[in-house]
Amino acid sequence: MDATPHPQEPAVSAVSHPARDADTRVLAAVMHTAFFLLLGSSVARFLLRHPGEPRTPWIIALGTTLALLYVLGPALGAAPTLRRLLWLGLVVAAWVVLVILAPSFAWCAVPLFYTALRTLPPRAAIVLVALLTVFVVAAQLKLSKAFDPNLLLAPPAVAALATAVFVHMERQAGAQRALIDDLIRTRRELAATERREGTLAERQRLSMEIHDTLAQHLSSQQMLLQAADRTWDTDPATARAHVRTATGIAARGLAEARRLVHDLAPPELEGGGGLADALRALDAGPGIEVRFHLEGAPAPLPDRAESALLRIAQGALANVREHSGARTAALTLSYLGDQVVLDIADDGRGFHEPARAAGQRGHGLPAMRARMRQLGGTLTIESTPGEGTVLSAAIPLEHTG
Protein backbone atom coordinates (compact mmCIF):
# COMPACT_ATOMS: atom_id res chain seq x y z
CA MET A 1 0.00 0.00 0.00
CA ASP A 2 1.52 3.30 -1.07
CA ALA A 3 0.10 6.03 1.11
CA THR A 4 2.25 8.79 -0.35
CA PRO A 5 0.22 11.35 -2.29
CA HIS A 6 1.27 11.78 -5.87
CA PRO A 7 1.63 15.43 -6.85
CA GLN A 8 -0.19 16.29 -10.01
CA GLU A 9 1.72 17.50 -13.00
CA PRO A 10 1.59 21.28 -13.43
CA ALA A 11 -0.84 22.61 -15.97
CA VAL A 12 1.80 25.03 -17.34
CA SER A 13 3.93 23.77 -20.21
CA ALA A 14 7.00 25.37 -21.65
CA VAL A 15 5.81 24.42 -25.09
CA SER A 16 2.31 25.78 -24.85
CA HIS A 17 0.94 28.34 -22.40
CA PRO A 18 -2.69 29.40 -22.98
CA ALA A 19 -2.27 33.01 -21.81
CA ARG A 20 0.94 33.55 -23.76
CA ASP A 21 -0.49 31.95 -26.90
CA ALA A 22 -3.59 34.15 -26.63
CA ASP A 23 -1.44 37.29 -26.30
CA THR A 24 0.61 36.25 -29.33
CA ARG A 25 -2.53 35.69 -31.41
CA VAL A 26 -3.92 39.10 -30.40
CA LEU A 27 -0.66 40.86 -31.27
CA ALA A 28 -0.50 39.05 -34.63
CA ALA A 29 -4.12 40.00 -35.39
CA VAL A 30 -3.40 43.66 -34.58
CA MET A 31 -0.31 43.69 -36.80
CA HIS A 32 -2.11 42.02 -39.71
CA THR A 33 -5.01 44.46 -39.42
CA ALA A 34 -2.63 47.41 -39.29
CA PHE A 35 -0.81 46.17 -42.40
CA PHE A 36 -3.96 45.91 -44.50
CA LEU A 37 -5.22 49.26 -43.23
CA LEU A 38 -1.93 50.94 -44.14
CA LEU A 39 -1.82 49.17 -47.51
CA GLY A 40 -5.41 50.13 -48.33
CA SER A 41 -4.91 53.75 -47.26
CA SER A 42 -1.73 53.96 -49.34
CA VAL A 43 -3.53 52.70 -52.44
CA ALA A 44 -6.42 55.13 -51.81
CA ARG A 45 -3.99 58.04 -51.32
CA PHE A 46 -2.18 57.26 -54.56
CA LEU A 47 -5.40 57.05 -56.55
CA LEU A 48 -6.66 60.34 -55.08
CA ARG A 49 -3.40 62.21 -55.54
CA HIS A 50 -2.46 60.79 -58.95
CA PRO A 51 -5.61 60.17 -61.00
CA GLY A 52 -4.96 58.84 -64.49
CA GLU A 53 -1.27 58.08 -63.85
CA PRO A 54 0.25 55.56 -66.32
CA ARG A 55 1.75 53.61 -63.40
CA THR A 56 -1.64 53.18 -61.69
CA PRO A 57 -2.19 49.63 -63.04
CA TRP A 58 1.26 48.64 -61.78
CA ILE A 59 0.52 50.10 -58.37
CA ILE A 60 -2.79 48.26 -58.11
CA ALA A 61 -1.22 45.00 -59.33
CA LEU A 62 1.72 45.24 -56.94
CA GLY A 63 -0.58 46.20 -54.05
CA THR A 64 -2.79 43.20 -54.76
CA THR A 65 0.26 40.92 -55.05
CA LEU A 66 1.64 42.20 -51.75
CA ALA A 67 -1.71 41.63 -50.05
CA LEU A 68 -1.94 38.07 -51.40
CA LEU A 69 1.63 37.29 -50.37
CA TYR A 70 0.98 38.65 -46.90
CA VAL A 71 -2.13 36.49 -46.52
CA LEU A 72 0.00 33.38 -47.15
CA GLY A 73 2.27 34.18 -44.19
CA PRO A 74 0.25 32.72 -41.28
CA ALA A 75 -0.17 29.42 -43.13
CA LEU A 76 3.63 28.98 -43.23
CA GLY A 77 4.04 29.28 -39.45
CA ALA A 78 6.49 31.40 -37.49
CA ALA A 79 9.50 29.06 -37.64
CA PRO A 80 12.35 30.27 -39.91
CA THR A 81 11.98 27.52 -42.51
CA LEU A 82 13.19 27.89 -46.08
CA ARG A 83 9.64 28.51 -47.36
CA ARG A 84 9.06 31.13 -44.67
CA LEU A 85 12.31 32.93 -45.55
CA LEU A 86 11.48 32.83 -49.26
CA TRP A 87 8.02 34.24 -48.50
CA LEU A 88 9.51 37.06 -46.41
CA GLY A 89 11.94 37.90 -49.23
CA LEU A 90 9.09 38.13 -51.75
CA VAL A 91 7.01 40.35 -49.42
CA VAL A 92 9.94 42.73 -48.84
CA ALA A 93 10.78 42.81 -52.55
CA ALA A 94 7.17 43.65 -53.51
CA TRP A 95 7.08 46.38 -50.85
CA VAL A 96 10.41 47.88 -52.01
CA VAL A 97 9.17 48.10 -55.61
CA LEU A 98 5.95 49.73 -54.41
CA VAL A 99 7.87 52.30 -52.35
CA ILE A 100 10.06 53.14 -55.34
CA LEU A 101 6.98 53.65 -57.52
CA ALA A 102 4.88 55.34 -54.81
CA PRO A 103 6.65 56.56 -51.62
CA SER A 104 3.34 56.76 -49.75
CA PHE A 105 3.53 52.97 -49.26
CA ALA A 106 6.52 53.44 -46.93
CA TRP A 107 4.55 53.19 -43.67
CA CYS A 108 3.48 49.63 -44.51
CA ALA A 109 6.97 48.80 -43.21
CA VAL A 110 5.85 49.03 -39.56
CA PRO A 111 4.01 45.66 -39.57
CA LEU A 112 6.86 44.24 -41.65
CA PHE A 113 9.21 45.10 -38.76
CA TYR A 114 7.18 42.75 -36.59
CA THR A 115 7.16 40.05 -39.27
CA ALA A 116 10.93 40.24 -39.70
CA LEU A 117 11.57 40.12 -35.96
CA ARG A 118 9.25 37.11 -35.62
CA THR A 119 10.83 35.22 -38.53
CA LEU A 120 14.57 35.93 -38.53
CA PRO A 121 17.29 35.53 -35.90
CA PRO A 122 17.84 38.76 -33.92
CA ARG A 123 20.90 40.01 -35.83
CA ALA A 124 19.46 39.30 -39.28
CA ALA A 125 16.14 40.85 -38.23
CA ILE A 126 17.87 44.03 -37.01
CA VAL A 127 19.72 44.34 -40.33
CA LEU A 128 16.48 43.94 -42.28
CA VAL A 129 14.68 46.46 -40.05
CA ALA A 130 17.51 48.93 -40.65
CA LEU A 131 17.21 48.51 -44.43
CA LEU A 132 13.44 48.94 -44.29
CA THR A 133 13.94 52.08 -42.19
CA VAL A 134 16.31 53.52 -44.81
CA PHE A 135 13.63 53.07 -47.47
CA VAL A 136 11.03 54.71 -45.17
CA VAL A 137 13.27 57.74 -44.56
CA ALA A 138 14.04 58.08 -48.26
CA ALA A 139 10.35 57.83 -49.15
CA GLN A 140 9.33 60.44 -46.57
CA LEU A 141 12.03 62.88 -47.72
CA LYS A 142 10.89 62.38 -51.30
CA LEU A 143 7.29 63.19 -50.37
CA SER A 144 8.32 66.28 -48.40
CA LYS A 145 8.52 69.55 -50.32
CA ALA A 146 11.21 70.88 -47.97
CA PHE A 147 13.85 69.30 -45.78
CA ASP A 148 12.39 68.26 -42.43
CA PRO A 149 14.77 66.90 -39.73
CA ASN A 150 11.83 65.16 -38.10
CA LEU A 151 11.34 62.97 -41.19
CA LEU A 152 15.03 62.05 -41.08
CA LEU A 153 15.20 61.16 -37.38
CA ALA A 154 11.69 59.99 -36.40
CA PRO A 155 11.54 56.74 -38.45
CA PRO A 156 14.90 55.41 -37.15
CA ALA A 157 13.89 56.32 -33.60
CA VAL A 158 10.54 54.54 -33.92
CA ALA A 159 12.16 51.49 -35.54
CA ALA A 160 14.89 51.33 -32.87
CA LEU A 161 12.36 51.61 -30.04
CA ALA A 162 10.06 48.95 -31.51
CA THR A 163 12.97 46.60 -32.15
CA ALA A 164 14.42 47.06 -28.67
CA VAL A 165 11.06 46.42 -27.01
CA PHE A 166 10.40 43.32 -29.13
CA VAL A 167 13.88 41.82 -28.57
CA HIS A 168 13.62 42.49 -24.84
CA MET A 169 10.21 40.82 -24.65
CA GLU A 170 11.42 37.81 -26.63
CA ARG A 171 14.41 37.38 -24.32
CA GLN A 172 12.18 37.61 -21.27
CA ALA A 173 9.81 35.05 -22.81
CA GLY A 174 12.76 32.74 -23.50
CA ALA A 175 13.98 33.08 -19.92
CA GLN A 176 10.46 32.39 -18.68
CA ARG A 177 10.19 29.28 -20.85
CA ALA A 178 13.54 28.01 -19.53
CA LEU A 179 12.40 28.67 -15.96
CA ILE A 180 9.13 26.83 -16.53
CA ASP A 181 11.06 23.90 -18.04
CA ASP A 182 13.27 23.78 -14.94
CA LEU A 183 10.25 23.95 -12.64
CA ILE A 184 8.45 21.15 -14.50
CA ARG A 185 11.58 18.98 -14.49
CA THR A 186 12.19 19.67 -10.80
CA ARG A 187 8.59 18.88 -9.91
CA ARG A 188 8.68 15.62 -11.83
CA GLU A 189 11.91 14.62 -10.10
CA LEU A 190 10.42 15.57 -6.74
CA ALA A 191 7.28 13.55 -7.45
CA ALA A 192 9.35 10.53 -8.47
CA THR A 193 11.48 10.88 -5.34
CA GLU A 194 8.40 11.13 -3.14
CA ARG A 195 6.92 8.04 -4.76
CA ARG A 196 10.15 6.09 -4.21
CA GLU A 197 10.42 7.28 -0.63
CA GLY A 198 6.78 6.47 0.01
CA THR A 199 7.21 2.97 -1.42
CA LEU A 200 10.34 2.35 0.65
CA ALA A 201 8.68 3.71 3.79
CA GLU A 202 5.64 1.49 3.24
CA ARG A 203 7.83 -1.56 2.67
CA GLN A 204 9.74 -0.78 5.84
CA ARG A 205 6.48 -0.35 7.77
CA LEU A 206 5.14 -3.66 6.51
CA SER A 207 8.40 -5.46 7.28
CA MET A 208 8.35 -4.05 10.84
CA GLU A 209 4.68 -5.03 11.22
CA ILE A 210 5.40 -8.58 10.03
CA HIS A 211 8.48 -8.84 12.24
CA ASP A 212 6.73 -7.50 15.34
CA THR A 213 3.57 -9.59 14.92
CA LEU A 214 3.60 -12.59 12.60
CA ALA A 215 7.27 -13.45 12.96
CA GLN A 216 7.16 -13.16 16.75
CA HIS A 217 3.98 -15.24 16.92
CA LEU A 218 5.47 -17.94 14.70
CA SER A 219 8.66 -17.98 16.79
CA SER A 220 6.65 -18.32 20.02
CA GLN A 221 4.55 -21.11 18.53
CA GLN A 222 7.68 -22.96 17.44
CA MET A 223 9.21 -22.73 20.93
CA LEU A 224 5.99 -23.84 22.64
CA LEU A 225 5.46 -26.77 20.27
CA GLN A 226 9.07 -27.88 20.69
CA ALA A 227 8.66 -27.70 24.48
CA ALA A 228 5.41 -29.67 24.23
CA ASP A 229 7.16 -32.31 22.12
CA ARG A 230 9.92 -32.68 24.73
CA THR A 231 7.50 -33.04 27.66
CA TRP A 232 4.69 -34.95 25.95
CA ASP A 233 5.69 -38.32 27.47
CA THR A 234 6.95 -37.16 30.86
CA ASP A 235 4.48 -34.35 31.61
CA PRO A 236 1.40 -34.53 29.36
CA ALA A 237 -0.46 -31.80 31.26
CA THR A 238 2.33 -29.29 30.71
CA ALA A 239 2.61 -30.33 27.06
CA ARG A 240 -1.10 -29.76 26.52
CA ALA A 241 -0.82 -26.35 28.18
CA HIS A 242 1.97 -25.47 25.75
CA VAL A 243 -0.20 -26.57 22.84
CA ARG A 244 -3.16 -24.52 24.08
CA THR A 245 -0.92 -21.47 24.46
CA ALA A 246 0.46 -22.01 20.96
CA THR A 247 -3.11 -22.26 19.65
CA GLY A 248 -3.97 -18.90 21.21
CA ILE A 249 -0.88 -17.32 19.73
CA ALA A 250 -1.79 -18.78 16.31
CA ALA A 251 -5.27 -17.21 16.60
CA ARG A 252 -3.75 -13.82 17.38
CA GLY A 253 -1.32 -14.22 14.47
CA LEU A 254 -4.20 -15.04 12.14
CA ALA A 255 -6.00 -11.89 13.26
CA GLU A 256 -2.87 -9.83 12.65
CA ALA A 257 -2.46 -11.39 9.19
CA ARG A 258 -6.06 -10.51 8.32
CA ARG A 259 -5.49 -6.95 9.50
CA LEU A 260 -2.42 -6.62 7.28
CA VAL A 261 -4.35 -8.00 4.32
CA HIS A 262 -7.18 -5.55 5.00
CA ASP A 263 -4.67 -2.67 5.03
CA LEU A 264 -3.55 -3.74 1.56
CA ALA A 265 -7.09 -3.84 0.15
CA PRO A 266 -8.07 -1.36 -2.60
CA PRO A 267 -9.00 2.05 -1.17
CA GLU A 268 -12.22 2.00 -3.25
CA LEU A 269 -13.57 -0.68 -0.88
CA GLU A 270 -12.82 1.23 2.32
CA GLY A 271 -15.91 3.45 2.28
CA GLY A 272 -18.23 0.69 3.47
CA GLY A 273 -20.35 0.71 0.31
CA GLY A 274 -19.15 -2.70 -0.80
CA LEU A 275 -18.15 -4.11 -4.15
CA ALA A 276 -21.27 -2.90 -6.02
CA ASP A 277 -20.69 0.76 -5.14
CA ALA A 278 -17.00 0.49 -6.00
CA LEU A 279 -17.83 -0.98 -9.42
CA ARG A 280 -20.55 1.62 -10.03
CA ALA A 281 -17.97 4.41 -9.49
CA LEU A 282 -15.48 3.10 -12.06
CA ASP A 283 -14.69 5.14 -15.15
CA ALA A 284 -13.05 4.14 -18.44
CA GLY A 285 -11.95 7.64 -19.44
CA PRO A 286 -13.34 10.36 -21.71
CA GLY A 287 -15.51 9.28 -24.60
CA ILE A 288 -16.48 5.92 -23.06
CA GLU A 289 -19.79 5.49 -21.24
CA VAL A 290 -19.67 2.90 -18.45
CA ARG A 291 -22.91 1.30 -17.25
CA PHE A 292 -23.27 -0.89 -14.17
CA HIS A 293 -25.92 -3.56 -13.51
CA LEU A 294 -26.48 -5.58 -10.35
CA GLU A 295 -28.36 -8.87 -10.60
CA GLY A 296 -29.43 -11.09 -7.74
CA ALA A 297 -29.31 -10.58 -4.00
CA PRO A 298 -25.82 -9.51 -2.88
CA ALA A 299 -24.07 -12.05 -0.68
CA PRO A 300 -21.18 -11.25 1.69
CA LEU A 301 -17.81 -11.86 0.07
CA PRO A 302 -14.36 -12.11 1.64
CA ASP A 303 -12.16 -9.06 1.29
CA ARG A 304 -9.77 -10.81 -1.08
CA ALA A 305 -12.64 -11.84 -3.39
CA GLU A 306 -14.01 -8.29 -3.55
CA SER A 307 -10.49 -6.94 -4.10
CA ALA A 308 -9.84 -9.43 -6.92
CA LEU A 309 -13.10 -8.62 -8.74
CA LEU A 310 -12.52 -4.87 -8.42
CA ARG A 311 -8.96 -5.16 -9.75
CA ILE A 312 -10.19 -7.30 -12.67
CA ALA A 313 -12.82 -4.67 -13.53
CA GLN A 314 -10.23 -1.88 -13.39
CA GLY A 315 -7.84 -3.84 -15.61
CA ALA A 316 -10.57 -4.73 -18.09
CA LEU A 317 -11.68 -1.10 -18.39
CA ALA A 318 -8.06 -0.08 -18.94
CA ASN A 319 -7.90 -2.53 -21.84
CA VAL A 320 -11.18 -1.14 -23.21
CA ARG A 321 -9.76 2.37 -23.09
CA GLU A 322 -6.38 1.52 -24.64
CA HIS A 323 -7.15 -1.19 -27.18
CA SER A 324 -10.82 -1.56 -28.10
CA GLY A 325 -11.91 1.80 -29.52
CA ALA A 326 -15.25 1.24 -27.77
CA ARG A 327 -17.82 3.90 -26.95
CA THR A 328 -19.67 2.01 -24.21
CA ALA A 329 -18.78 -0.64 -21.64
CA ALA A 330 -21.14 -2.54 -19.38
CA LEU A 331 -20.27 -4.03 -15.97
CA THR A 332 -22.66 -6.69 -14.67
CA LEU A 333 -22.25 -8.16 -11.18
CA SER A 334 -24.43 -11.26 -10.77
CA TYR A 335 -25.06 -13.28 -7.60
CA LEU A 336 -26.23 -16.66 -8.88
CA GLY A 337 -26.64 -18.58 -5.64
CA ASP A 338 -23.57 -20.77 -5.85
CA GLN A 339 -21.25 -18.27 -7.52
CA VAL A 340 -20.65 -14.58 -8.14
CA VAL A 341 -19.94 -13.51 -11.73
CA LEU A 342 -18.56 -10.24 -13.04
CA ASP A 343 -19.04 -9.55 -16.78
CA ILE A 344 -17.32 -6.68 -18.60
CA ALA A 345 -18.64 -6.15 -22.15
CA ASP A 346 -17.66 -3.47 -24.67
CA ASP A 347 -18.78 -2.53 -28.19
CA GLY A 348 -15.24 -2.14 -29.53
CA ARG A 349 -13.48 -3.62 -32.49
CA GLY A 350 -12.86 -7.06 -30.96
CA PHE A 351 -10.10 -9.40 -32.16
CA HIS A 352 -9.36 -12.83 -33.65
CA GLU A 353 -8.20 -15.87 -31.65
CA PRO A 354 -8.95 -14.63 -28.13
CA ALA A 355 -6.44 -16.84 -26.37
CA ARG A 356 -3.46 -15.79 -28.46
CA ALA A 357 -4.52 -12.14 -28.70
CA ALA A 358 -5.01 -11.99 -24.96
CA GLY A 359 -1.53 -13.31 -24.41
CA GLN A 360 -0.12 -10.45 -26.43
CA ARG A 361 -1.65 -7.69 -24.30
CA GLY A 362 0.94 -7.47 -21.54
CA HIS A 363 0.59 -8.64 -17.95
CA GLY A 364 -3.01 -7.57 -17.27
CA LEU A 365 -4.87 -10.71 -18.37
CA PRO A 366 -2.33 -13.17 -16.89
CA ALA A 367 -2.65 -11.31 -13.57
CA MET A 368 -6.46 -11.60 -13.78
CA ARG A 369 -6.22 -15.35 -14.39
CA ALA A 370 -3.81 -15.71 -11.47
CA ARG A 371 -6.27 -13.91 -9.16
CA MET A 372 -9.05 -16.25 -10.29
CA ARG A 373 -6.93 -19.37 -9.77
CA GLN A 374 -6.14 -18.28 -6.22
CA LEU A 375 -9.86 -18.02 -5.50
CA GLY A 376 -10.80 -21.22 -7.34
CA GLY A 377 -12.56 -19.20 -10.03
CA THR A 378 -12.40 -18.95 -13.81
CA LEU A 379 -11.76 -16.19 -16.32
CA THR A 380 -13.18 -16.42 -19.85
CA ILE A 381 -12.93 -14.08 -22.83
CA GLU A 382 -15.19 -14.02 -25.87
CA SER A 383 -14.52 -11.69 -28.76
CA THR A 384 -15.62 -11.30 -32.36
CA PRO A 385 -14.04 -8.80 -34.79
CA GLY A 386 -16.32 -5.81 -35.11
CA GLU A 387 -18.69 -6.98 -32.36
CA GLY A 388 -16.78 -6.22 -29.19
CA THR A 389 -15.41 -8.30 -26.34
CA VAL A 390 -16.89 -9.89 -23.21
CA LEU A 391 -14.69 -10.79 -20.24
CA SER A 392 -16.27 -12.90 -17.51
CA ALA A 393 -14.84 -13.65 -14.05
CA ALA A 394 -16.66 -16.25 -11.92
CA ILE A 395 -15.90 -17.20 -8.31
CA PRO A 396 -17.68 -20.07 -6.50
CA LEU A 397 -19.27 -18.81 -3.29
CA GLU A 398 -18.48 -22.08 -1.55
CA HIS A 399 -14.80 -21.59 -2.21
CA THR A 400 -14.84 -17.99 -1.03
CA GLY A 401 -16.68 -19.02 2.11
Side-chain angles (χ1 to χ4, degrees):
M1 180 177 62
D2 186 357
T4 305
H6 296 173
Q8 294 181 350
E9 292 294 336
V12 178
S13 171
V15 177
S16 177
H17 188 291
R20 185 172 61 245
D21 291 346
D23 292 342
T24 301
R25 288 193 295 269
V26 170
L27 179 59
V30 170
M31 288 296 174
H32 297 335
T33 303
F35 176 81
F36 286 108
L37 287 176
L38 291 171
L39 182 62
S41 64
S42 298
V43 172
R45 182 182 185 279
F46 179 83
L47 295 177
L48 291 174
R49 295 289 182 90
H50 307 281
E53 279 273 347
R55 50 185 173 161
T56 298
W58 292 102
I59 297 297
I60 295 175
L62 282 172
T64 304
T65 301
L66 180 59
L68 293 175
L69 285 172
Y70 196 86
V71 168
L72 293 176
L76 299 177
T81 59
L82 181 59
R83 290 192 303 173
R84 177 78 175 180
L85 297 177
L86 179 61
W87 168 83
L88 180 60
L90 292 174
V91 169
V92 171
W95 175 81
V96 167
V97 175
L98 267 175
V99 171
I100 293 175
L101 294 176
S104 57
F105 285 87
W107 285 111
C108 294
V110 175
L112 294 183
F113 290 168
Y114 169 78
T115 303
L117 291 168
R118 286 274 295 167
T119 303
L120 299 175
R123 292 184 179 180
I126 291 173
V127 171
L128 181 56
V129 168
L131 291 176
L132 295 177
T133 305
V134 169
F135 274 90
V136 171
V137 171
Q140 294 303 307
L141 292 176
K142 185 177 180 180
L143 289 174
S144 178
K145 297 180 179 179
F147 177 75
D148 187 349
N150 192 42
L151 298 179
L152 180 64
L153 299 177
V158 172
L161 178 61
T163 302
V165 170
F166 185 88
V167 171
H168 176 69
M169 291 175 60
E170 283 294 304
R171 287 178 177 173
Q172 280 194 329
Q176 185 182 31
R177 287 192 292 269
L179 177 61
I180 292 174
D181 283 341
D182 290 339
L183 289 175
I184 292 175
R185 183 167 54 252
T186 301
R187 186 162 184 176
R188 286 174 178 168
E189 292 173 355
L190 179 61
T193 301
E194 289 180 351
R195 284 194 291 269
R196 287 195 298 269
E197 290 179 352
T199 301
L200 292 175
E202 187 64 16
R203 288 178 178 175
Q204 183 178 9
R205 185 188 71 80
L206 287 174
S207 66
M208 293 174 61
E209 290 267 4
I210 293 172
H211 176 270
D212 295 340
T213 56
L214 298 181
Q216 294 294 339
H217 292 159
L218 290 173
S219 177
S220 298
Q221 292 173 50
Q222 183 182 30
M223 293 175 60
L224 288 169
L225 292 175
Q226 288 175 347
D229 182 63
R230 288 193 300 269
T231 60
W232 193 266
D233 295 329
T234 59
D235 192 354
T238 301
R240 291 190 183 93
H242 289 328
V243 171
R244 286 193 295 272
T245 304
T247 302
I249 293 175
R252 291 196 296 273
L254 179 60
E256 288 291 342
R258 287 173 174 168
R259 184 183 64 82
L260 289 174
V261 170
H262 182 270
D263 288 343
L264 294 174
E268 294 86 349
L269 297 172
E270 294 179 358
L275 178 61
D277 288 348
L279 293 173
R280 187 177 288 109
L282 292 182
D283 182 23
I288 303 177
E289 180 185 4
V290 179
R291 304 180 185 133
F292 174 75
H293 305 280
L294 177 63
E295 296 182 1
L301 297 176
D303 291 342
R304 62 174 187 156
E306 290 188 342
S307 175
L309 291 175
L310 178 60
R311 293 305 190 203
I312 288 173
Q314 291 171 329
L317 290 179
N319 284 339
V320 171
R321 178 177 62 252
E322 296 173 5
H323 304 295
S324 72
R327 294 185 178 179
T328 60
L331 301 179
T332 303
L333 181 63
S334 304
Y335 292 89
L336 304 178
D338 60 343
Q339 64 177 348
V340 57
V341 180
L342 175 64
D343 296 316
I344 302 98
D346 66 76
D347 60 353
R349 62 177 63 95
F351 49 83
H352 286 286
E353 298 178 316
R356 188 175 71 180
Q360 296 173 351
R361 294 191 173 213
H363 302 287
L365 291 175
M368 295 179 193
R369 290 194 172 92
R371 291 180 187 275
M372 289 294 97
R373 282 197 299 270
Q374 292 171 1
L375 294 170
T378 58
L379 183 77
T380 58
I381 302 172
E382 297 178 2
S383 183
T384 303
E387 297 182 9
T389 302
V390 178
L391 182 147
S392 181
I395 301 177
L397 292 179
E398 286 186 358
H399 191 280
T400 61

